């Protein structure tokens, strides 16, 4: 049986606080007219994780006429409240918590999240990505639990490899993650962070992804 064709809108790095309202109005109209099966937003909803930025992001995202899944970006972790960053880093997502790192079942296709933004890490630049062992295990378990024949589209914030853009990924554990995803029925990985579009087929020891 041929797989069903699905239409996915991929958005990233909207950065409420420095948002482009003309672009947001256009995207919202396109979603309303084209009625995609899902919208995947791969992180950096805000500029500095301020309450007012999250309020604006929440209002806009909740107004979209489609199922939405949201990844957490490095800009979405509290910047100015370290206690909150360490203890309750997702607190400011409360208005859309049901969308955060949410797996979407679209029948023959599932959108499965893989967390790359962490509250802290053993290097000075905390803005870069890290696929921890726990995050990878959670993602792979979700993929492995899908019904036989279901394809997976994985969403991350940080690219899992360098992609030739001016912005760098430097994602720890990214190559291992790609190799593990290549073992499974994964048709692609959607990411953001670098602010430039790219389309790359990555060869791994277990095949391309």
């Amino acid at each position: 049986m041929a797989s069903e064709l699905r239409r996915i809108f991929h958005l990233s790095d909207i950065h409420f606080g420095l948002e482009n309202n003309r672009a947001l109005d256009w995207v919202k109209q396109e979603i309303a007219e084209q009625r995609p099966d899902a919208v995947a937003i791969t992180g950096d909803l805000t500029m500095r994780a301020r309450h007012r930025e999250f309020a604006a992001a929440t209002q806009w995202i909740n107004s979209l006429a489609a199922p939405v899944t949201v990844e957490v970006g490095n800009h979405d972790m509290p910047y100015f409240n370290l206690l909150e960053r360490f203890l309750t880093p997702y607190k400011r997502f409360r208005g859309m918590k049901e969308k955060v790192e949410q797996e979407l079942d679209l029948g023959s296709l599932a959108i499965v999240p893989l967390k790359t933004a962490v509250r802290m890490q053993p290097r000075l630049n905390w803005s870069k990505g890290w696929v921890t062992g726990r995050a990878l295990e959670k993602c792979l378990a979700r993929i492995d639990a899908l019904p036989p024949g279901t394809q997976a589209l994985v969403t991350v914030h940080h690219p899992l490899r360098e992609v030739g853009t001016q912005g760098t990924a430097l994602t720890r554990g990214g190559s291992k993650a790609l190799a593990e995803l290549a073992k499974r029925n994964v048709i692609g990985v959607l990411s953001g962070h670098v602010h430039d579009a790219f389309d790359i087929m990555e060869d791994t020891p277990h095949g391309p992804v």
Side-chain angles (χ1 to χ4, degrees):
M1 180 183 295
S3 61
E4 302 169 78
L5 183 64
R6 297 298 183 191
R7 175 174 288 177
I8 311 296
F9 275 37
H10 174 210
L11 313 177
S12 199
D13 297 75
I14 302 170
H15 289 296
F16 278 90
L18 284 177
E19 72 273 25
N20 182 326
N21 285 303
R22 184 178 178 185
L24 291 175
D25 290 344
W26 176 80
V27 170
K28 186 174 180 178
Q29 182 66 28
E30 287 292 302
I31 292 170
E33 292 178 359
Q34 298 197 36
R35 304 189 67 83
D37 295 283
V39 176
I41 304 178
T42 52
D44 279 1
L45 310 182
T46 68
M47 195 62 207
R48 287 289 181 265
R50 294 183 173 94
H51 289 285
R52 64 177 179 271
E53 294 171 355
F54 267 106
T58 298
Q59 181 179 23
W60 188 80
I61 289 169
N62 286 343
S63 73
L64 298 179
V68 179
T69 182
V70 173
E71 283 300 296
V72 177
N74 52 284
H75 277 263
D76 303 323
M77 309 289 276
Y79 265 60
F80 309 113
N81 186 331
L82 289 181
L83 187 63
E84 183 179 328
R85 182 184 180 100
F86 295 141
L87 298 181
T88 55
Y90 290 7
K91 181 179 178 180
R92 302 185 188 195
F93 284 91
R94 58 186 174 272
M96 54 174 145
K97 62 181 180 181
E98 75 284 354
K99 298 177 174 69
V100 177
E101 296 173 356
Q102 177 64 42
E103 180 182 326
L104 293 182
D105 178 2
L106 306 177
S108 60
L109 175 69
I111 300 179
V112 182
L114 171 59
K115 186 173 81 165
T116 62
V118 295
R119 66 193 78 185
M120 64 178 297
Q121 52 184 303
R123 57 175 165 172
L124 291 177
N125 192 342
W126 290 3
S127 73
K128 299 305 180 182
W130 184 9
V131 182
T132 65
R134 178 180 295 181
L136 181 58
E137 287 175 9
K138 183 177 181 180
C139 175
L140 297 178
R142 284 177 159 184
I143 295 172
D144 292 341
L146 294 173
T150 303
Q151 295 179 311
L153 189 60
V154 174
T155 51
V156 300
H157 175 60
H158 300 85
L160 299 181
R161 54 153 285 178
E162 294 301 332
V163 293
T165 54
Q166 184 174 355
T168 58
L170 298 175
T171 303
R172 289 188 169 183
S175 296
K176 178 182 177 181
L178 282 169
E180 288 298 323
L181 295 177
K183 295 179 183 178
R184 293 159 171 86
N185 195 10
V186 172
I187 62 171
V189 180
L190 299 178
S191 63
H193 185 64
V194 293
H195 292 203
D196 285 305
F198 63 90
D199 184 1
I200 294 174
M201 183 69 77
E202 175 74 355
D203 289 320
T204 80
H206 304 296
V209 62

